Amino acid sequence: GRPRFIRDQTELCRAQVQATKFPWLRRYPMLIESNPTVPIDNAAGMELALNYAGLPFRAIARTSSQMKSKGRPSLISVNEREQAERPCGKLVVRRGRDWVLAYNGERLLDLLTF
């Protein structure tokens, strides 16, 4: 399974990316959560759980109907308590009542999935 120090990370946010074959997935296959309904070969994208520093520690394959948006990475959820306690990564930002990926968050996901 996953090493405990990775598994026990606190989630800052979840984001979806329209990529299924990037080096991080090959390097850390133990962090890909099995999704019996979506074999990785049939996935349209990946949902990534990130910690406050932007380290992905979980990946889940998603179908095109499970993807929030096409193209750009999209933010799925934010742990507001973790963001308030550790905002240093500046990965997400509040716009009105909604959370969105900040420039740093978009850049991180672009670099990760390049």
Side-chain angles (χ1 to χ4, degrees), residues 8 14-15 42 54:
D8 292 345
R14 278 190 186 225
N42 296 343

Side-chain angles (χ1 to χ4, degrees), residues 13-16 47-48 66-69 74-78:
C13 65
R14 278 190 186 225
Q16 289 180 338
E47 190 167 306
L48 303 172
Q66 294 171 323
M67 295 297 287
K68 186 175 170 184
S69 70
S74 56
L75 191 62
I76 301 303
S77 63
V78 172

Side-chain angles (χ1 to χ4, degrees), residues 1 6 8 14 20 26 32 46 59-60 63 66 77 83 89 93 96-97 100 106-107 113:
I6 293 177
D8 292 345
R14 278 190 186 225
T20 58
R26 286 192 297 279
I32 301 172
M46 299 299 289
I60 307 155
T63 63
Q66 294 171 323
S77 63
Q83 171 62 16
V93 66
R97 287 190 296 185
V100 295
E106 286 194 354
R107 184 163 161 69
T113 58

